[in-house]
Amino acid sequence: EVGHGPLPLAARHHPSLMIAFQRFINDQWSSFIQTQCEVARAGFDKPLSTNMTPDWGMNYFRQNHLLDRVGMSLDPRRDELSKSLMHLDRMRAEKPGVPFWLLGTPSQGPEAGAFAWLSMLMGGDLLLFDQWRQPWAGPQMNQGAIVTSTGRWTRDKASLEKLASQFKDQAEYLATRPPVEAR
């Protein structure tokens, strides 16, 4: 007699099938990234990157080697700082000597400035904050931004101006003291 009710999802797949599926997904993403890079490089002379998202079980090492720069979004408000540090170290290690790009991080909250500095000190040289302008409708309308939906600056403008001034003041120091190579 068969058991009572359907089996839980984890019991329906053999581990080798799950690994084979994950390899298939990674192969497909890598093929897609490679095709997109070939098309873009045909008439574009700027470095290429993409906004990877942590913890999707992807082979970031393989995929980022197809790109010119390692790029990722990280949200230190949701993740523990130690988890973010691990991702910054990993990004630095994937292309030794090539600074990574942090392509999406919150601009609000007391941790925004500290996390921006941490990213630069760990080997990043580009930092893009999420949500420049707050949407006037939709599910993200209550999310913070630098400009309100009505076009006014938020209180975060002053802290971002301060951060930009600090980076400018320390630019020579940052340029002449790259972080230790991650292994």
Side-chain angles (χ1 to χ4, degrees):
E1 180 177 307
V2 180
H4 303 285
L7 291 172
L9 181 61
R12 286 187 236 166
H13 298 289
H14 191 276
S16 64
L17 177 61
M18 295 170 74
I19 291 171
F21 178 74
Q22 192 63 41
R23 286 181 180 151
F24 170 77
I25 294 298
N26 274 288
D27 288 345
Q28 294 304 303
W29 270 111
S30 296
S31 176
F32 175 75
I33 291 169
Q34 184 172 358
T35 301
Q36 295 298 308
C37 287
E38 289 169 1
V39 170
R41 285 188 176 115
F44 191 70
D45 65 346
K46 303 295 183 208
L48 298 176
S49 185
T50 192
N51 196 357
M52 302 285 185
T53 303
D55 302 329
W56 279 14
M58 303 303 287
N59 186 345
Y60 295 117
F61 185 81
R62 178 178 172 197
Q63 293 164 359
N64 279 317
H65 274 272
L66 299 168
L67 300 162
D68 301 317
R69 296 287 180 113
V70 175
M72 184 172 276
S73 282
L74 290 173
D75 187 344
R77 292 178 304 179
R78 285 185 282 167
D79 294 336
E80 297 174 12
L81 183 57
S82 59
K83 188 174 182 181
S84 297
L85 286 170
M86 183 268 306
H87 287 296
L88 295 172
D89 263 344
R90 183 193 53 75
M91 288 193 299
R92 186 172 80 236
E94 288 184 8
K95 287 192 172 288
V98 179
F100 61 82
W101 290 347
L102 193 56
L103 298 172
T105 193
S107 60
Q108 305 81 30
E111 67 282 321
F115 190 68
W117 268 107
L118 186 60
S119 173
M120 294 297 149
L121 292 170
M122 295 285 288
D125 74 349
L126 178 80
L127 175 67
L128 297 178
F129 289 111
D130 284 339
Q131 297 285 41
W132 173 258
R133 186 181 184 120
Q134 188 177 31
W136 61 270
Q140 294 184 336
M141 63 186 280
N142 291 327
Q143 220 173 355
I146 300 166
V147 176
T148 67
S149 59
T150 59
R152 294 187 181 97
W153 291 106
T154 65
R155 63 178 182 225
D156 295 315
K157 179 185 178 197
S159 62
L160 294 177
E161 286 176 330
K162 180 181 176 184
L163 182 63
S165 176
Q166 291 172 345
F167 282 148
K168 184 178 178 183
D169 291 344
Q170 299 301 320
E172 182 181 337
Y173 178 88
L174 292 169
T176 58
R177 292 168 180 84
V180 175
E181 182 180 325
R183 297 183 183 178

